[in-house]
Amino acid sequence: MSPPRAWAEISFSALKHNLDFIRSHSNQAVMAVLKAGAYGHGIEQIALALESENLAYFGVASVIEARKITQAGIQTPIYLLGPTFHEERAEVIENGWTPSISSLEEAEDFNRLASASKINVVHITLDTGMGRGGFLPAALDTAIDKITQLPNIKIEGIGSHLPSADEDRAFTLRQFATFEAAVKDKPFKYIHLSNSAGLLDYSSDSTNLVRPGLMLYGISPIASYQQMLQPVMTLKSRVSLIRTLPAGHGISYGRDAILKKDTRVATIGAGYGDGYPRAISNNGAEVFIRNQRCPVLGRVTMDQIMVDVSDLPLCESGDEVELFGSNILVSEIAEKAHTIAWEVLTGITPRVTRTYQ
Ligand SMILES: *Cc1c(COP(=O)(O)O)cnc(C)c1O
């Protein structure tokens, strides 16, 4: 069988290393966030790799994702990070997944669908500033009083979310204070607020569970912690063609790159159809070949990119190329694409073969 043109190598040992770092750094129970196909890494494979790690929860975005890992045989409890639709709730109860509750209506609906012999645990979501879901702090205690009276559901935890833990320290500190005041004396098993940036840069005696996503995959939202982590995904391709093109020749669509000198140009078998962002075009992005950085030339096309290998005389067709990984961080590619690492990782398309090691 011929090898894939573009593939993503996923390292379980890097994943384990990052989890160990999370545990040593935060000393709290861990909900591994596996939404969006485990940030593009493959939700079943990552869930199975973490299954024996004694995690408090796997956090997913939707019932579809919860169903996928349940069908893969996962026993770790599953938490639904966002609100559910009415039509999804019977399946939630059926499987004993833990929903996050933002309104009395949701709580009452779950209570109707559950029963005395199948009591379902739920978490309360508090909106301390994210503006995406949850009860406002002023409404919390009344809501909890009412939900506590519903016989078929049981509040197991309470959580909130940080919108700018990697951007706005003053606001985030106020959020921690609001959250801590709200959860004071609440008798729940799990109290949780921090995503990756929150658990890296803030601490709280009031919480006992953290919800890391990005950093589990080896990318730090805060640059100073990057050295503590190992990128789990390496996106790779191969050189498919090498030619020397003369000064004045144009490269790629729109011809906005015109060679200033005779240039050895390598064509590589990956493009935006694989999720390598087209937005990096003409913005100084590089790839890694034979231990050296090589500049991308012109626009990223759907299936191919061109790079300058003039400084790599030994480079030949078939050479492996790292598009991002340990040598070129996905954060660097994201920055060149005017976006964030989360979006680049989750944008790696299905045609990219994932290989696990
Ligand atoms: C996505 C998400 C996380 C994980 O965020 P990272 O920044 O990737 O660590 C945590 N909590 C909630 C509610 C989320 O939606």
Side-chain angles (χ1 to χ4, degrees):
M1 217 169 67
S2 55
R5 301 175 64 86
W7 69 100
E9 293 176 358
I10 312 288
S11 163
F12 289 140
S13 69
L15 183 71
K16 177 76 170 65
H17 168 91
N18 301 328
L19 178 60
D20 289 347
F21 174 69
I22 289 164
R23 285 185 151 146
S24 67
H25 190 80
S26 80
N27 208 19
Q28 303 198 19
V30 176
M31 174 190 301
V33 176
L34 303 187
K35 64 192 181 190
Y39 291 43
H41 294 66
I43 192 165
E44 288 105 333
Q45 291 87 344
I46 297 295
L48 289 167
L50 294 175
E51 174 75 344
S52 57
E53 292 293 339
N54 257 314
L55 295 170
Y57 269 108
F58 288 151
V60 300
S62 68
V63 161
I64 292 177
E65 292 179 338
R67 192 188 299 149
K68 262 195 189 159
I69 57 176
T70 298
Q71 285 171 356
I74 289 304
Q75 301 291 319
T76 301
I78 296 174
Y79 184 82
L80 295 155
L81 292 154
T84 48
F85 297 108
H86 168 75
E87 293 77 7
E88 298 173 321
R89 292 182 189 142
E91 187 176 351
V92 173
I93 301 288
E94 176 82 9
N95 289 282
W97 300 326
T98 303
S100 49
I101 301 280
S102 285
S103 67
L104 278 176
E105 293 71 30
E106 290 169 89
E108 285 161 357
D109 203 22
F110 277 115
N111 182 60
R112 268 191 299 276
L113 292 160
S115 62
S117 60
K118 207 164 173 53
I119 290 175
N120 211 76
V121 303
V122 305
H123 285 209
I124 301 295
T125 299
L126 181 65
D127 188 351
T128 55
M130 179 68 187
R132 190 170 69 174
F135 295 94
L136 291 173
L140 183 69
D141 286 351
T142 314
I144 288 178
D145 284 347
K146 288 188 177 150
I147 294 170
T148 305
Q149 284 163 33
L150 300 171
N152 301 333
I153 61 175
K154 180 176 186 307
I155 303 175
E156 181 206 48
I158 180 165
S160 187
H161 194 33
L162 304 169
S164 36
D166 51 353
E167 290 175 14
D168 186 341
R169 187 156 197 94
F171 177 78
T172 305
L173 287 171
R174 285 205 298 282
Q175 253 195 304
F176 267 88
T178 306
F179 186 70
E180 286 169 355
V183 301
K184 199 162 163 289
D185 306 325
K186 297 283 187 294
F188 308 135
K189 180 176 174 190
Y190 289 123
I191 312 278
H192 49 101
L193 177 57
S194 280
N195 53 5
S196 297
L199 84 87
L200 281 169
D201 240 9
Y202 300 81
S203 66
S204 169
D205 292 334
S206 302
T207 68
N208 58 13
L209 173 76
V210 290
R211 303 186 312 260
L214 191 69
M215 69 182 294
L216 190 58
Y217 307 100
I219 302 299
S220 176
I222 299 168
S224 54
Y225 292 100
Q226 183 58 49
Q227 66 201 42
M228 311 303 292
L229 301 171
Q230 296 175 3
V232 174
M233 181 191 292
T234 307
L235 183 65
K236 286 189 171 173
S237 183
R238 263 182 257 271
V239 173
S240 51
L241 188 68
I242 297 194
R243 293 170 311 144
T244 298
L245 296 176
H249 206 82
I251 305 284
S252 195
Y253 292 116
R255 302 181 68 251
D256 35 34
I258 304 291
L259 298 177
K260 293 197 182 70
K261 55 180 176 50
D262 293 1
T263 305
R264 252 182 124 227
V265 177
T267 301
I268 292 162
Y272 66 78
D274 302 289
Y276 187 72
R278 182 174 176 278
I280 62 107
S281 302
N282 301 306
N283 202 23
E286 294 171 320
V287 302
F288 202 72
I289 309 175
R290 289 184 182 245
N291 281 318
Q292 209 165 302
R293 285 172 169 260
C294 306
V296 177
L297 296 169
R299 293 184 195 168
V300 173
T301 77
M302 189 185 291
D303 311 307
Q304 306 179 70
I305 56 174
M306 279 67 80
V307 306
D308 183 343
V309 291
S310 301
D311 294 340
L312 266 186
L314 294 179
C315 180
E316 60 189 20
S317 176
D319 274 3
E320 230 174 72
V321 179
E322 177 187 312
L323 299 167
F324 63 73
S326 300
N327 298 294
I328 296 186
L329 289 175
V330 67
S331 331
E332 176 182 329
I333 294 300
E335 198 188 322
K336 299 244 152 81
H338 315 290
T339 182
I340 53 174
W342 293 260
E343 191 186 33
V344 177
L345 288 173
T346 57
I348 300 305
T349 61
R351 86 169 176 192
V352 174
T353 308
R354 271 77 169 168
T355 63
Y356 295 89
Q357 46 203 216

